[in-house]
């Protein structure tokens, strides 16, 4: 269709703002960008096949462009051969179609929200490469079987070493938690001068409450969470109920409670930093520097 909606969408896709977002690195140490832009004429064979494969329907009512972001997930097909199984991550309502700035913001938000999908794609790519290498090796030489067995033995050895290291880490963590619990200061009396109460709300519905003097460092609060509730302080994130303040072990341990801006009665949500969050934070810091 040669209407204004199509022209707006095409202009946005070809804009410098969208190009800049699309070319941003998907992950740290990865040279490729975050998006590949593709378009097809409405009613064409390409458009029909794509819509059928993605199981999407055009917007109802007034004719508008179909704008979506697709994740090229992989699945195991017949014969155990991996194949691409595209999945729609998000579809824009296009009512109205986004201008250059709004489309760039939309894509950048999806890029950050689905950082784990980029990691999955890298893993799937490596797995596909390993699969092809094994197939080629099996057909060309018996030596590949020997190599595969050696790889499996090495992997098993590494797995056992990791299990041993994790067991030792948990034992040390158990000892540390006992020490942290014993090192907590005595709880001051309620209503005393320079005393504040901190109430914790956990994601599983549990809660905790304790009083501290206002000259207590935030590290003591993290030690309380670790020693009593058995959550590793280095991975814990404390967030005020309104979401305006966030505290973590690395940045806020040395801050005393009176300097946090919290009131005498403060409620904090307790969450755990996921493994992929640290890398995403590093990516964001690099983007800010650029």
């Amino acid at each position: 269709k040669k209407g204004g909606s199509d022209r707006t969408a095409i202009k946005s896709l070809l804009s410098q703002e969208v190009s800049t977002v699309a070319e941003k690195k998907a992950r740290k140490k990865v040279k490729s960008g975050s998006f590949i832009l593709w378009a097809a004429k409405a009613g064409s064979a390409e458009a029909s096949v794509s819509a059928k494969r993605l199981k999407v329907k055009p917007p109802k009512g007034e004719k508008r462009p179909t704008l979506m972001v697709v994740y090229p997930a992989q699945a195991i097909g017949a014969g155990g051969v991996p194949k691409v199984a595209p999945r729609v991550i998000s579809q824009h309502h296009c009512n109205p179609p986004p201008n250059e700035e709004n489309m760039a913001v939309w894509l950048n938000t999806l890029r950050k929200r689905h950082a784990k999908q980029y990691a999955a794609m890298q893993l799937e790519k490596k797995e596909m490469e390993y699969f092809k290498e094994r197939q080629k090796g099996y057909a060309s030489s018996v030596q590949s079987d020997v190599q595969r067995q050696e790889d499996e033995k090495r992997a098993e050895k590494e797995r056992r070493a990791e299990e041993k290291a994790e067991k030792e880490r948990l034992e040390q963590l158990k000892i540390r938690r006992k020490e942290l619990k014993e090192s907590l200061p005595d709880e001051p009396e309620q209503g005393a001068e320079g005393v504040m109460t901190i109430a914790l709300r956990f994601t599983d519905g549990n809660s905790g409450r304790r009083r501290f003097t206002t000259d207590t460092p935030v590290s003591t609060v993290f030690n309380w969470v670790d020693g009593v509730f058995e959550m590793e302080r280095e991975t814990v994130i404390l967030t005020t109920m309104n979401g305006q303040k966030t505290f973590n072990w690395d940045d806020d341990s040395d801050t005393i409670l009176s300097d946090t801006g919290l009131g005498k009665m403060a409620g904090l949500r307790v969450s755990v930093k996921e493994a992929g969050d640290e890398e995403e934070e590093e990516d964001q810091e690099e983007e800010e520097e650029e």
Side-chain angles (χ1 to χ4, degrees), residues 110-284:
L110 291 174
R111 184 182 70 84
K112 295 180 179 180
R113 182 183 303 163
H114 297 280
K116 293 181 181 179
Q117 268 70 31
Y118 290 114
M121 282 190 285
Q122 294 297 321
L123 178 60
E124 289 170 355
K125 181 181 178 182
K126 289 182 180 180
E127 290 179 344
M128 176 66 80
E129 292 173 353
Y130 294 153
F131 175 82
K132 291 180 178 179
E133 289 176 1
R134 287 196 300 268
Q135 290 294 89
K136 182 179 179 181
Y138 295 152
S140 63
S141 175
V142 177
Q143 182 61 33
S144 63
D145 290 331
V146 177
Q147 183 63 47
R148 177 174 56 83
Q149 291 173 4
E150 291 178 353
D151 291 343
E152 290 176 350
K153 289 180 180 179
R154 183 170 59 253
E156 177 65 16
K157 184 178 180 180
E158 292 175 354
R159 184 187 66 79
R160 291 181 179 179
E162 290 176 356
E163 288 182 351
K164 181 180 178 181
E166 178 64 11
K167 183 178 180 180
E168 292 175 352
R169 189 187 72 84
L170 292 177
E171 288 295 331
Q172 292 297 321
L173 190 60
K174 184 177 180 180
I175 296 173
R176 187 182 80 168
R177 282 176 175 155
K178 181 180 179 181
E179 294 175 348
L180 291 177
K181 193 173 181 180
E182 293 175 349
S183 67
L184 290 174
D186 294 335
E187 190 170 6
E189 295 184 4
Q190 185 174 3
E193 185 68 22
V195 173
M196 63 185 297
T197 301
I198 294 181
L200 302 178
R201 178 66 60 85
F202 296 87
T203 55
D204 60 1
N206 289 328
S207 60
R209 181 188 296 262
R210 199 182 194 281
R211 294 185 297 276
F212 297 90
T213 58
T214 54
D215 60 355
T216 301
V218 175
S219 59
T220 302
V221 179
F222 281 98
N223 292 342
W224 172 43
V225 175
D226 195 333
V228 176
F229 302 98
E230 298 186 351
M231 298 177 66
E232 293 187 51
R233 62 190 182 185
E234 292 83 2
T235 65
V236 167
I237 298 175
L238 302 177
T239 308
T240 54
M241 293 302 178
N242 58 14
Q244 293 183 357
K245 293 181 181 294
T246 300
F247 307 95
N248 63 73
W249 174 261
D250 292 333
D251 299 330
D252 305 296
S253 295
D254 296 333
T255 305
I256 61 175
L257 291 176
S258 60
D259 293 338
T260 60
L262 300 175
K264 291 186 176 181
M265 182 70 183
L268 298 174
R269 298 185 188 276
V270 184
S271 58
V272 176
K273 186 187 300 182
E274 297 182 4
D277 293 342
E278 295 182 359
E279 185 170 353
E280 184 176 350
E281 290 176 1
E282 292 178 0
D283 292 343
Q284 291 176 353

Side-chain angles (χ1 to χ4, degrees), residues 22-76:
E23 292 176 358
K24 284 185 176 181
K25 292 190 299 183
R27 283 175 60 80
K28 187 178 181 182
K29 298 181 181 180
V30 175
K31 296 181 179 180
S32 58
S34 299
F35 297 95
I36 295 177
L37 304 179
W38 180 85
K41 184 179 180 181
S44 66
E46 287 181 321
S48 299
V49 171
S50 299
K52 183 177 180 180
R53 189 173 184 184
L54 295 172
K55 299 179 182 180
V56 296
K57 297 181 180 180
K60 296 182 180 180
E62 180 183 354
K63 292 184 178 180
R64 300 190 301 274
T66 302
L67 180 63
M68 70 192 75
V69 173
V70 179
Y71 165 54
Q74 291 192 19
I76 303 300

